[in-house]
Amino acid sequence: MDIKLTKHDKRYIESTDDVYSIMQRVLLRENKIDQEKEHLWIIGMNQAGYILYIELIALGSYKSVNIEPMNVFRVAVMKNASRVILVHNHPSGSLIPSAADKDITDRLIQVAHILNIELTDHLIITPKTYISFRSIKLMEELEQSLKYVPTYQVVERIRKQEKQIAKEKLAVANDKVKTAEEKARTAKLVAKHEREQKERLVHALSQKDSSIEQIATIMEIDAKEVQKILKKKTMKE
């Protein structure tokens, strides 16, 4: 369902406040019964931030809404939107993103990548206030997620990151200007980065039901090291 902008609504999005100003009025235009249900809207924009459309994708119950990824991007593709913002309301008044909110955003980020569309942000709104996934750094966290990334792309990322880490190590070794202390500190940071990347990729492959042996082969590490990484995460949880 296409949402019409009023003469009071800005046509260019410059900040999350602009988004909320528009969507707050859209929510308040709904009748009282529908305000108590979850809505999911998508705002499509061009690269300059000009609003091409606002579409109500789904209307759910008082606590949830079902989302089909292709419905989210159908109009974006038709209208050549290069950027989109996801917006949904919480009738409860809570601004805390649920596990389902995070999961669907994670999934939509990957669909957007395939379609060459930027999912800029996701806002949760109420009649009085809002929260932006981008502003609380949740968007960046989900953009790093590998949960919905195809396994072959995970492997490609592993190889790319291995090359980058090797390049960083070489840079540390060849940097004759730095003192021994600075070199040691830099090398420690590089090692930490390498370890964190390795652990994140092992967990990502594990989530895709890869066996310990398969993960070890892909990562080119010992199976015991894979077991140790997975056990470490289990203990933390």
Side-chain angles (χ1 to χ4, degrees), residues 63-237:
K63 64 177 181 179
S64 66
V65 60
N66 292 321
I67 302 169
E68 289 297 331
M70 289 316 299
N71 286 339
V72 174
F73 294 104
R74 175 178 50 83
V75 179
V77 172
M78 290 171 55
K79 298 199 175 183
N80 294 316
S82 58
R83 300 165 62 199
V84 296
I85 295 176
L86 199 64
V87 182
H88 85 279
N89 67 309
H90 274 181
S92 66
S94 169
L95 293 178
I96 300 174
S98 67
D101 294 338
K102 295 175 187 177
D103 190 70
I104 190 61
T105 307
D106 188 351
R107 187 178 178 191
L108 292 176
I109 286 171
Q110 297 308 320
V111 177
H113 282 165
I114 294 170
L115 297 173
N116 198 28
I117 296 172
E118 179 188 354
L119 179 54
T120 305
D121 204 348
H122 184 171
L123 271 64
I124 298 174
I125 69 171
T126 72
K128 294 182 179 180
T129 187
Y130 75 96
I131 194 171
S132 154
F133 280 32
R134 182 70 64 186
S135 67
I136 62 172
K137 308 300 182 185
L138 180 54
M139 207 68 188
E140 286 86 345
E141 178 185 325
L142 294 171
E143 286 168 345
Q144 295 299 314
S145 169
L146 298 173
K147 182 176 181 180
Y148 290 106
V149 178
T151 302
Y152 79 91
Q153 289 186 6
V154 174
V155 175
E156 287 177 358
R157 290 192 188 187
I158 291 171
R159 299 294 173 249
K160 186 176 180 180
Q161 288 167 358
E162 286 175 344
K163 289 180 181 178
Q164 181 60 34
I165 290 170
K167 186 177 179 181
E168 290 171 355
K169 285 183 175 179
L170 184 62
V172 171
N174 292 339
D175 193 343
K176 294 181 171 52
V177 179
K178 289 183 177 179
T179 65
E181 185 178 340
E182 289 174 327
K183 280 189 176 183
R185 185 163 52 247
T186 305
K188 188 175 181 181
L189 289 173
V190 171
K192 180 182 178 183
H193 172 67
E194 181 180 17
R195 184 175 64 255
E196 290 174 346
Q197 289 285 5
K198 183 187 295 183
E199 290 177 355
R200 192 165 67 86
L201 290 167
V202 166
H203 297 321
L205 290 169
S206 176
Q207 287 179 343
K208 295 181 181 302
D209 296 326
S210 298
S211 68
I212 289 175
E213 290 73 20
Q214 289 172 327
I215 296 173
T217 301
I218 293 171
M219 297 288 296
E220 297 179 352
I221 60 177
D222 189 84
K224 289 183 178 179
E225 186 175 358
V226 175
Q227 289 178 317
K228 186 177 178 181
I229 292 171
L230 294 175
K231 185 177 179 181
K232 180 181 175 182
K233 183 181 180 184
T234 303
M235 290 174 67
K236 283 183 178 180
E237 293 174 345

